[in-house]
Amino acid sequence: STVLAGPTSVSGGVAISGSGTLTVNAKSMGVGGAVALTGSGQLVMTNAADSVDVSGAYSAGGGSTGSNLSAGVLVLRGDLTQVANSSSDFAPTGTHLTRLAGSALQTVTFADPAAASSHFQNVQFADAAGVTLASDVVASGSATITAGTVTGTNHMATIGGGLTDATSSRWHVDTTSFTGAGAIALPD
C-alpha cells in the first residue's frame, strides 16, 4: 500500500494489483501512461483535495470500490474501461468527479453498468474530440458537457442528478433516463 506524501508525477503507467492500494491523501498525482487496477487493487480518493490526472487509459478491474472513491477529481485523458472482475470495481460515491478531458476521441465501456454496480458519481465530458459510450452508463449524480459531443448509439445513459449541456446540441445518446430530482439544463 502506498500513501502519497506530496504532489507526485509518474512518467509511465501505474499498476495497482493484488490487495494493493494507492491513497492520494489530499495530494495531486499525474500519470504519464495508463492506470490498471487488478485483483483487489484500489485507488483511494476520499478527500476533496485529491486529484489524479491520467494521460493514458484507465482500466478498473480491481475489487469493489466501496467508499474508496468518495471525493476529489479523477481526470482521464484516455479511454475508461470497467472490466467484470467485481461488478462494482468503478463505483464512486459522495462528491467524486470523473472528468473525461482527452484531446482525441475517448471511449467509455462499463461491463456492469448499474446504480448498485459500476457507475460514475458525477461526470464531466470535457473532450473537444468527443466521448463515445460503448456500453450503457450510469451517473448517480450529475452529468455535464463542457466540450465535444457525447454519443451512445444503441446505449442508455441513466442519470440520477441533472444533465447540463450549455449548447443543447452535444448530447447524442439514444436513450437517457432520469431517476433523480436533478434539473435538465439545456438552453432554449
Side-chain angles (χ1 to χ4, degrees), residues 17-38:
S17 60
S19 59
T21 59
L22 173 60
T23 302
V24 181
N25 193 32
K27 306 294 188 274
S28 63
M29 179 176 189
V31 180
V35 170
L37 286 81
T38 59

Side-chain angles (χ1 to χ4, degrees), residues 62-82:
S64 175
T65 57
S67 60
N68 287 334
L69 292 176
S70 60
V73 179
L74 175 62
V75 178
L76 302 178
R77 300 185 188 280
D79 296 341
L80 167 62
T81 304
Q82 178 264 323

Side-chain angles (χ1 to χ4, degrees), residues 7-11 28-32:
T8 303
S9 180
V10 177
S11 60
S28 63
M29 179 176 189
V31 180

